[in-house]
Amino acid sequence: MAVVYGMTLACKLDMVKGVHQPGDAYMLALYGVQATLNQFTEEYTREAEVKGQGYTAGGQALSGYNAVIDGARAELGWDTDVTWKVATIRARHALIYNKSKGNRALAVLDLGQDCASTNGPFVLTLPRAVIWIG
C-alpha cells in the first residue's frame, strides 16, 4: 500500500480524547520510498525508516508547537524547520508522532519526491498547518 498523506485515524481519536498536549515531545522520522505509512498507522515504526550517516532512528524533535484558529479551521503545526546538519540520507516520506504519549502517530507526510543529502544538511520545511480540523 502506498503512503497516504494526512492525519492518522489514531490522531483524530486522540484529539477527541485530549491525549496530545502543547508540552509533549513531538518527533519527525524519515522514511524511504518503500514505506507503507497511511491513515491506519497508529505508532512510530522503524520499518522502512531511513538509515545513514547523521540520522538516528526516531528522527528529530519538533519545536515551535503552534495551535491556532484560522477562519473556521483549527490548525496545528511547528514553527521550526527540521534539520539534520551533516547527513547522508535519502527520504520520500515522514511521520510525525508524539514520543510523550507512547509514540502515537499524528500525521503522515509525502515529500513529493526522493530528497537526499550527501555529507551535508538535510532540511525539511513543514507547512504552516500540518494537521487541521474543519
Side-chain angles (χ1 to χ4, degrees):
M1 178 181 288
V3 171
V4 178
Y5 167 81
M7 186 183 338
T8 66
L9 293 174
C11 179
K12 290 177 183 181
L13 180 60
D14 289 347
M15 291 293 191
V16 171
K17 290 180 174 181
V19 170
H20 303 296
Q21 298 297 315
D24 291 348
Y26 296 94
M27 304 289 290
L28 184 139
L30 297 173
Y31 293 84
V33 69
Q34 68 278 20
T36 57
L37 306 169
N38 58 48
Q39 68 271 20
F40 300 108
T41 301
E42 292 186 9
E43 298 175 344
Y44 158 76
T45 177
R46 293 184 77 174
E47 184 179 329
E49 187 174 9
V50 301
K51 295 177 183 170
Q53 172 199 339
Y55 184 87
T56 303
Q60 288 267 359
L62 294 172
S63 62
Y65 181 98
N66 188 19
V68 299
I69 295 292
D70 185 7
R73 189 164 105 158
E75 298 179 347
L76 174 59
W78 289 266
D79 294 337
T80 308
D81 293 344
V82 186
T83 303
W84 287 264
K85 292 183 180 181
V86 180
T88 301
I89 53 177
R90 176 177 302 278
R92 174 61 190 254
H93 309 288
L95 176 69
I96 294 176
Y97 67 97
N98 187 337
K99 186 174 180 178
S100 298
K101 300 297 189 323
N103 294 329
R104 296 288 288 172
L106 276 78
V108 173
L109 308 175
D110 183 341
L111 306 181
Q113 63 184 12
D114 281 357
C115 300
S117 64
T118 303
N119 200 31
F122 185 100
V123 180
L124 182 59
T125 301
L126 295 174
R128 182 180 69 109
V130 175
I131 296 169
W132 59 87
I133 300 170

